[in-house]
Each structure stands twice: as structure tokens, then as C-alpha cells.
Amino acid sequence: MSKLILILGDQLSPVIASLRQWQPGDVVLLAEVQAEASYVGHHQHKIVLIFSAMRHFAAVLLQQGMQVEYIDYNQRIASLYEAVAITLQRQPQLQSVIVTAAGEFRLAQEIQSWQARLEKPVVVLDDDRFIASLALFNRWAQGRSQYRMEYFYREMRRYTGLLMNGTEPAGGKWNYDIENRKPCPAELAVPAPVAIDPDDITQAVINLVRSEFPKNIGDAGNFALAVTGKDARAAFSDFVVHQLPLFGQYQDAMVLDQPFLFHSICSMYLNIGLLDVRWMCQKVEQAYQAGQVPLNAAEGYIRQLIGWREYVRGLYWLLMPEYKTRNFFNAQTPLPGYYWHGKTKMRCMQQAIGHTIKYAYSHHIHRLMITGNFALLAGLSVDDVTDWYLAVYADAFEWVELPNTLGMALFADGGVLASKPYAASGNYIQRMSNYCSSCHYKVKETTSELACPFNALYWDFLARNATKLTSNARLQLAYQQWHRKDETQQAAIQKKAAELLIHLEQL
């Protein structure tokens, strides 16, 4: 019997499980639908990336002799269900629907309802693009009181054999993160990542997005991302040669007006299927074995791929849907407007948000220790912050975004993901960047009129959450420093923080 194979916008891989079921007579459906394009206010670049990559992928399938039904945005189809129902109505010979499991809980729940509504079988296949199946992750998590990524990562190293010498890790250590925290010299030459000129298909999508989503953050007109597997692989190969050798030691660094530094800018390609995680890991390992990349860089990058990425996906599916409702600190303050327009006197926030607006990208330290850290210290609404991260980054899908934002950046899960809140004062930003010297605020001051807002907010965060955090072993030194301040100093800091919180929009 002929079947309808639905390919979602983040499943653009020729080896996706559903496509492996294809037989002559089957129809492959890809659809640009209103619900998926608008459930948050996606960055214009994110919509261009996904729609253009979908159109290019459909063209490849057609060249391979598959029958493809493509629904573009101008057809005004409201949802994926409607796209499937219309296609089945047009082609009654199709007796079932095949789809690879959706990456986001809301869509997975929706798809579960389709069989009853369509009155035809709907078969959902496991997404085996990931190295760790959900069953494997659940077995690892079973019985654990804490789900620490480091221990999962070690299991993944053993499971894959990556950077292993028999049963031991290459170099004798599992983790070289301590070597990967150097500030980057401002004069160091930074090679630019690969930029792709839009072809006719991409330009048509750019025009569509600028017309249909004019109020969304960003400008589709400066889009330069890869939209095919071939170009994505070329971009990643270029990263391995030019950026990866220094990625390790400078991966936590920030430099004024340098949005990319030594990062790969390839997470969005991986997350929509243009790149394969196993191939990426092999390329990195081969570069290390050939002496082209130091171990700390190879290990640090592979840890992001088979450690963090696989770990947060497993954690997401283990704990949803309840996980999304967690708010450990009861953070409720609305998101300040500069998260959307970038107009703030804080130089670090200008940089992180400005890069985000321009490129739908900023690297992980911007996300964690600038915009995320500020949101944590200021008690910004967990819902507002997680929706913002989901909207503004081209690589953001809820399975990867929510644990990283709610769990790691905001500690809203109370320590399920991270062993302590990633809270920091301006001192951290000064140490890891050259932002502070040109900032409106003074990083060495805490309570003066021009004191860095991160400073008073940091101490106030610790003080107001003391009942929840003083038992955390990793915060003992910070609380010792707080208690060494006399009552007058503490009162002045808390008064300054209260003023900052009242006037958040003006910072």
C-alpha cells in the first residue's frame, strides 16, 4: 500500500528514518505552515534557513525520482495536520502516514492525535540521527538522584569510542575544560566563517519572509547561511581547518565586535538535518589524530556534540511536560525591551544582543554568561526568557533550547541540570572579554551611580535567594564573601539592586 511520508522542517536528512521507508508509489510531503512559522516570533534568518533548506531538500528528492508534494507558505495552510489531511484527500491511494518523531513535545503531542482524526494509520518512527536513543538515555538516568552531564558524557565516549585509547580517554583525562577558559587577545587574527551567497531559491524565501514577517526580529536581507547539505559540510570542513585549532582555549572568550571568534556556526545545520553528528565527530577526531588540532580543542568540541547536545535532548524527553513549568526562584519580571532591540548602555548586552539581532546567532558564553546571567540576576520571567531564546536563535528548537535556558542559564529547575546557578558579577565579564573598558558603566564599582549593574544584582541575587542556595557546596565561598561585608555595605548593595530592578528598561 502506498503511504504518505511527512518530513518536518528540522528533518532534512537523506537518511532520516521515515525516508528509509520510501518505496515507489509513496509520496513525500514537506509543508511551510503558519503554525510552525509563528508559534514564537522566530528570527527572520531562522525562517529563511528552514524554508530555503526545505525547498532545496525537496528538489534533491525530486532529482532522486521521488514523488514530492510541497506546500509553500503562500498556500496559507494553517498547520501540519491540515497539510497532511489535504494531501490525503487529494491522493486517496495513500493508505497511511509515516513520520519520524518530532523534536518538540508540543508537536509530538499533536501528531499523536492524528490517527483518530485522519482515520488512517499514523506510524511514528524513532529519530535515530541521535547517537543516544531515548531508551539508552532513560536506562542511564534510571535510579539517579542527579543527572550530571559529565558522567553521561563519559558513557558516550565509551559507547562511541571517540577519543579513546582502548578503555581509557585519549591523553589520560576525560575533560580538558580547564584549558579552555582563556581570554582572547584582541589583536589575534580571527578567520571569518564561511558565508554563502543566496541563490534564486533562497532569494525568493528572503523576499517572502521580509513580506510576511516584517516585524520579526532581524533582517532577512543579510542572510548568508548554508541551506544545503553540501554547503553545510563545506562550512564545517572549513571550521575544522581554520577555527577548531584555537577553539579549545578561546571557546569561552569574548572580543568586541567579534560575533563568531573560533566557533563553528554549524549547530543550526546539525539541528535541521543538514549535518550528521557522527560525521562531524569523525572529522574532528581525524584532525586530532593527524596532528592538526590539539586535544583540548577536539575534546571540547566533541563534548558539545555527544555530551551536551545528546544529554539535553535526553533530559528534555525524560522530564517533559512538567519540566517546562519549573520556576525555582519564582522569577516573574517582564523581559526588558532591549532583549529585542539591543539599545542598552551595558556594552556586554549590546554585543550579545546585537550579534543575535544581526545573525540569529551568538556563541554559548554570550547566551549563558551575558543574556542568561543577566536574566538570572534580574529575576526575569522564565517563560519570557525561554520564549526569547527559542525565537531569536537559528539553532533553537525546544528540545535543545529549554534545558539549556531554563536549566543551565536560569537554574529554574532547581539543580536538575546544573550543580549551581551560573551567576556572575561584572568581574567575570571583564576577565573573559575586552568589553568593560568601553562600557558606560564602571566594572570595578558596585553602588555608585555608574556602577556595573551586574555587580549589585549579583550580590542581591545571592542575598534574596539565600534560603534556597546557602546549602549549595559550590556557593560557599560566595556566601562567605557576602557575609564578610558589614551591614552598611549589604544594605547599600541591596538598595542599589532595588533601584536597578525598578529601572531595568533604562539600563
Side-chain angles (χ1 to χ4, degrees):
M1 294 187 297
S2 297
K3 52 191 178 290
L4 179 64
I5 298 174
L6 173 65
I7 302 296
L8 305 179
D10 60 349
Q11 298 179 348
L12 309 179
S13 166
V15 295
I16 195 79
S18 46
L19 272 183
R20 299 203 303 269
Q21 301 291 313
W22 179 87
Q23 294 178 336
D26 293 343
V27 175
V28 180
L29 171 65
L30 293 97
E32 303 167 5
V33 300
Q34 293 172 336
E36 297 306 305
S38 60
Y39 66 90
V40 292
H42 299 292
H43 196 293
Q44 291 190 21
H45 284 206
K46 185 178 182 182
I47 303 174
V48 174
L49 170 69
I50 295 173
F51 281 7
S52 181
M54 288 172 64
R55 295 183 185 191
H56 282 87
F57 189 67
V60 170
L61 298 181
L62 284 168
Q63 290 172 355
Q64 294 175 347
M66 297 185 186
Q67 184 179 347
V68 177
E69 184 80 16
Y70 196 95
I71 297 175
D72 67 37
Y73 195 79
N74 289 323
Q75 295 180 52
R76 307 295 175 187
I77 301 300
S79 67
L80 285 169
Y81 170 78
E82 184 179 339
V84 169
I86 288 172
T87 304
L88 291 175
Q89 185 178 32
R90 290 173 181 168
Q91 304 201 45
Q93 81 281 8
L94 301 174
Q95 297 301 305
S96 64
V97 178
I98 304 289
V99 61
T100 299
E104 299 192 344
F105 186 86
R106 60 171 185 89
L107 187 53
Q109 290 294 101
E110 179 187 327
I111 290 172
Q112 284 185 5
S113 72
W114 287 2
Q115 183 163 306
R117 298 167 70 187
L118 295 170
E119 298 182 343
K120 289 189 177 183
V122 176
V123 178
V124 179
L125 304 174
D126 289 343
D127 190 346
D128 55 13
R129 291 177 297 171
F130 293 88
I131 296 171
S133 68
L134 296 180
L136 186 155
F137 184 88
N138 290 347
R139 286 196 299 272
W140 172 81
Q142 188 173 9
R144 293 178 182 267
S145 58
Q146 293 181 320
Y147 309 116
R148 290 291 172 255
M149 189 281 295
E150 178 65 24
Y151 301 115
F152 172 76
Y153 167 59
R154 294 180 187 186
E155 289 301 313
M156 292 296 287
R157 289 276 293 279
R158 295 185 184 102
Y159 181 69
T160 61
L162 288 163
L163 297 179
M164 296 292 291
N165 293 325
T167 59
E168 297 300 316
K173 294 193 297 185
W174 291 104
N175 186 316
Y176 289 85
D177 194 43
I178 197 167
E179 298 179 22
N180 296 343
R181 302 172 184 172
K182 296 180 180 178
C184 184
E187 66 276 7
L188 186 65
V190 178
V194 169
I196 307 295
D197 291 331
D199 62 9
D200 290 344
I201 293 175
T202 301
Q203 191 57 56
V205 175
I206 289 171
N207 295 340
L208 168 75
V209 169
R210 297 182 89 173
S211 172
E212 296 290 337
F213 303 93
K215 295 183 180 179
N216 285 36
I217 190 171
D219 179 4
N222 69 323
F223 181 86
L225 296 173
V227 292
T228 66
K230 179 181 178 181
D231 283 345
R233 288 188 295 274
F236 185 75
S237 296
D238 185 84
F239 158 75
V240 170
V241 173
H242 294 108
Q243 283 97 355
L244 183 57
L246 291 176
F247 166 78
Q249 59 186 314
Y250 298 131
Q251 66 176 278
D252 286 2
M254 297 170 285
V255 175
L256 196 65
D257 299 328
Q258 290 285 356
F260 309 119
L261 288 179
F262 299 97
H263 295 263
S264 74
I265 331 300
C266 289
S267 53
M268 62 279 288
Y269 307 149
L270 176 60
N271 287 353
I272 66 172
L274 300 184
L275 291 177
D276 176 78
V277 67
R278 296 167 182 84
W279 176 84
M280 295 169 73
C281 289
Q282 289 167 1
K283 292 284 286 185
V284 172
E285 184 178 50
Q286 289 166 3
Y288 161 68
Q289 291 171 341
Q292 297 162 351
V293 169
L295 180 56
N296 68 309
E299 185 277 318
Y301 197 83
I302 285 176
R303 179 163 18 102
Q304 290 192 0
L305 292 176
I306 69 170
W308 271 114
R309 183 174 184 269
E310 299 273 338
Y311 165 79
V312 297
R313 186 237 185 184
L315 200 67
Y316 174 82
W317 286 107
L318 180 71
L319 300 176
M320 284 291 283
E322 182 273 337
Y323 190 73
K324 192 172 183 178
T325 68
R326 298 192 183 192
N327 190 348
F328 183 67
F329 297 120
N330 193 31
Q332 303 287 350
T333 301
L335 202 68
Y338 41 78
Y339 270 78
W340 295 103
H341 55 64
K343 296 174 183 176
T344 168
K345 295 188 285 290
M346 294 177 283
R347 180 71 76 205
C348 57
M349 292 284 280
Q350 285 177 8
Q351 289 284 299
I353 297 170
H355 300 333
T356 298
I357 293 170
K358 188 170 183 179
Y359 300 108
Y361 172 86
S362 65
H363 66 69
H364 68 278
I365 294 299
H366 280 147
R367 301 189 201 194
L368 177 63
M369 299 307 300
I370 303 297
T371 51
N373 181 26
F374 186 82
L376 172 68
L377 301 182
L380 302 187
S381 161
V382 174
D383 287 342
D384 284 359
V385 176
T386 54
D387 281 352
W388 182 79
Y389 275 85
L390 187 59
V392 301
Y393 292 116
D395 57 4
F397 296 88
E398 192 179 72
W399 65 265
V400 65
E401 174 274 327
L402 188 67
N404 273 304
T405 305
L406 183 150
M408 192 172 187
L410 301 180
F411 205 74
D413 64 4
V416 171
L417 187 150
S419 58
K420 74 175 186 69
Y422 278 84
S425 68
N427 183 56
Y428 173 87
I429 300 167
Q430 183 185 41
R431 185 169 71 250
M432 296 307 301
S433 78
N434 63 351
Y435 297 159
C436 299
S437 61
S438 60
C439 185
H440 172 81
Y441 296 105
K442 299 184 182 300
V443 70
K444 294 297 185 182
E445 299 178 12
T446 301
T447 57
S448 68
E449 182 179 352
L450 293 181
C452 171
F454 281 82
N455 293 338
L457 290 176
Y458 169 73
W459 292 114
D460 184 67
F461 167 79
L462 292 176
R464 71 177 184 266
N465 293 299
T467 56
K468 294 184 175 182
L469 295 177
T470 48
S471 61
N472 188 302
R474 296 188 65 191
L475 292 177
Q476 294 307 300
L477 179 60
Y479 275 107
Q480 289 171 16
Q481 291 173 328
W482 170 248
H483 291 307
R484 279 200 293 267
K485 299 179 187 297
D486 61 38
E487 291 184 3
T488 302
Q489 289 175 307
Q490 291 181 353
I493 290 170
Q494 291 180 292
K495 181 182 181 218
K496 175 67 175 181
E499 294 170 353
L500 293 169
L501 292 173
I502 290 171
H503 300 291
L504 274 182
E505 289 286 352
Q506 286 74 52
L507 297 182

